[in-house]
């Protein structure tokens, strides 16, 4: 299924006039956000760690010339950017292309190898299960999926060492735990929380004054992390030990959830929230 960008109107409204602005699209995906930024006159640097998006990114580069640059790396690499920017936009999680292809192993709806790697490199979910102790696995299920009875489930998964998505699904007896277990493993395989924290850690120093950081989140764990980090930024009053150096200050942008119309047209928007902040000095 084609990827329909989530909360794009809200993101565009939050960004305001982007003509000639420099925007980092941290999660290129199908390029829906990048295209909207470019069409509104922005210069875009886009990241994505999935090698499958490369062809689309190259097409966009052909179309927009030096207004568009693609960096095929995890977005924590924004720490290597030497310039400053007018916006950083994170549309977190996975795309429809990733979830819809059973051989990527993200979905419990189709059978495929238990892979779940966005980058198609490193440890797959199957490798992670093999390498983890029952305790580690239980912690992953608990922390990243809020799975009840995580210990019992971790023991069952560990002893069966499932190689496919359907094998994993067959081990989960409570249907309500299926999606959270898949989500927890995906977050662990892709170090999603580590990536998000490392990236947001460097954003304040790389934003121009008046610049914005916008995050679209898809589950309560990542939403809580973004909310807490943004709250820290907006509450920041500088370093009392170095009063001469003014810490950047941020103002919150109103949090937006999808409208009924968007929910109707795009079920993937179901649990989405857009949060944002503006760097005021
Ligand atoms: C929800 S999709 C983005 C969709 C995009 N906004 C669009 O309109 O087409 C998320 C994308 O971010 C990528 N991604 C997720 N985490 C990443 C990370 N830490 N570094 C780089 N890319 C990441 C995924 O591979 C996926 O393609």
């Amino acid at each position: 299924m084609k990827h329909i960008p989530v909360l794009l109107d809200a993101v565009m409204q939050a960004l305001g006039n982007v003509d000639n602005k420099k925007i980092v699209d941290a999660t290129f995906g199908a390029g829906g956000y990048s295209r909207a930024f470019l069409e509104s006159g922005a210069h875009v640097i886009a990241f994505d760690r999935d090698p499958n998006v490369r062809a689309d990114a190259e097409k966009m580069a052909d179309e927009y010339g030096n207004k568009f640059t693609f960096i095929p790396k995890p977005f924590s690499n924004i720490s290597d950017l030497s310039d400053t920017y007018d916006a950083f936009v994170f549309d977190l999680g996975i795309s429809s292309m990733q979830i819809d292809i059973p051989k990527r192993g993200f979905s419990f709806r189709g059978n495929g190898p238990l892979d779940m790697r966005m980058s198609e490199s490193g440890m797959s979910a199957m490798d992670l299960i093999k390498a983890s102790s029952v305790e580690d696995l239980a912690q992953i299920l608990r922390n990243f999926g809020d799975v009840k009875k995580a210990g019992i489930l971790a023991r069952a998964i560990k002893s069966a060492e499932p190689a496919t998505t359907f094998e994993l699904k067959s081990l989960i007896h409570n249907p309500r735990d299926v999606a959270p277990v898949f989500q927890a493993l995906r977050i662990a395989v892709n170090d999603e929380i580590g990536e998000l924290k490392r990236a947001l850690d460097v954003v304040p120093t790389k934003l121009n004054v008046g610049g914005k950081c916008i995050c679209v989140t898809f589950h309560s764990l990542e939403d809580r992390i973004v909310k807490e980090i943004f709250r820290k930024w907006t509450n920041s009053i500088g370093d009392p030990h170095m009063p001469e150096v003014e810490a950047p200050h941020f103002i919150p942008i109103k949090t937006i959830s999808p409208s009924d119309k968007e929910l109707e047209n795009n079920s993937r928007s179901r649990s989405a929230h857009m949060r944002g902040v503006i760097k005021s000095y």
Side-chain angles (χ1 to χ4, degrees):
M1 196 205 292
K2 192 179 170 310
H3 180 92
I4 307 171
V6 172
L7 285 170
L8 178 57
D9 289 347
V11 170
M12 294 307 288
Q13 205 169 350
L15 289 174
N17 181 358
V18 297
D19 193 26
N20 266 319
K21 296 276 168 72
K22 289 189 299 178
I23 302 183
V24 176
D25 178 356
T27 49
F28 179 78
Y33 278 24
S34 278
R35 181 169 292 284
F37 304 154
L38 288 161
E39 279 173 2
S40 304
H43 294 252
V44 175
I45 297 200
F47 284 83
D48 204 299
R49 58 178 162 182
D50 188 335
N52 297 291
V53 311
R54 220 169 171 149
D56 278 353
E58 277 164 11
K59 259 192 241 153
M60 206 166 274
D62 286 346
E63 210 176 317
Y64 287 93
N66 62 7
K67 290 194 103 181
F68 177 76
T69 307
F70 180 65
I71 303 180
K73 289 184 181 170
F75 57 54
S76 56
N77 285 274
I78 61 177
S79 57
D80 293 337
L81 296 174
S82 50
D83 222 342
T84 55
Y85 297 86
D86 299 303
F88 284 84
V89 181
F90 299 80
D91 180 18
L92 296 165
I94 49 177
S95 64
S96 300
M97 292 82 70
Q98 289 166 332
I99 193 102
D100 286 347
I101 298 176
K103 83 169 179 1
R104 302 290 312 261
F106 286 106
S107 172
F108 50 84
R109 293 186 209 285
N111 198 15
L114 199 53
D115 190 320
M116 301 194 181
R117 295 168 302 171
M118 291 181 190
S119 63
E120 297 195 330
S121 65
M123 257 199 195
S124 67
M126 188 171 69
D127 299 333
L128 179 79
I129 290 168
K130 284 195 177 137
S132 304
S133 65
V134 170
E135 291 70 31
D136 291 343
L137 205 50
Q139 206 145 45
I140 288 171
L141 301 182
R142 212 173 284 124
N143 293 350
F144 298 154
D146 205 12
V147 175
K148 312 284 174 262
K149 300 192 179 154
I152 296 171
L153 200 48
R155 212 164 304 125
I157 294 173
K158 187 65 196 160
S159 72
E161 289 197 345
T164 67
T165 51
F166 277 8
E167 279 173 29
L168 173 61
K169 189 177 165 187
S170 72
L171 300 168
I172 310 165
H173 298 307
N174 183 347
R176 261 187 303 189
D177 282 339
V178 174
V181 167
F182 273 71
Q183 172 188 293
L185 286 172
R186 191 201 89 205
I187 291 174
V189 166
N190 295 288
D191 185 22
E192 291 182 35
I193 305 303
E195 268 292 306
L196 180 60
K197 286 183 172 169
R198 286 193 295 278
L200 289 181
D201 213 34
V202 295
V203 164
T205 57
K206 300 207 179 279
L207 261 182
N208 293 327
V209 170
K212 292 161 186 165
C213 180
I214 311 274
C215 292
V216 176
T217 65
F218 288 87
H219 55 78
S220 56
L221 174 62
E222 76 191 357
D223 192 53
R224 194 168 63 235
I225 289 168
V226 171
K227 188 164 127 186
E228 279 166 11
I229 291 175
F230 282 179
R231 187 178 296 146
K232 211 162 66 194
W233 295 358
T234 52
N235 287 343
S236 146
I237 47 162
D239 183 346
H241 304 294
M242 298 177 72
E244 71 283 4
V245 181
E246 242 177 344
H249 189 73
F250 288 85
I251 298 169
I253 293 170
K254 189 176 175 312
T255 301
I256 305 283
S257 308
S259 63
D260 289 347
K261 187 161 167 251
E262 178 161 10
L263 288 168
E264 212 174 285
N265 292 338
N266 188 2
S267 63
R268 222 179 53 78
S269 70
R270 210 172 37 245
S271 40
H273 295 288
M274 186 207 77
R275 295 185 182 275
V277 285
I278 307 172
K279 180 167 168 175
S280 60
Y281 60 78

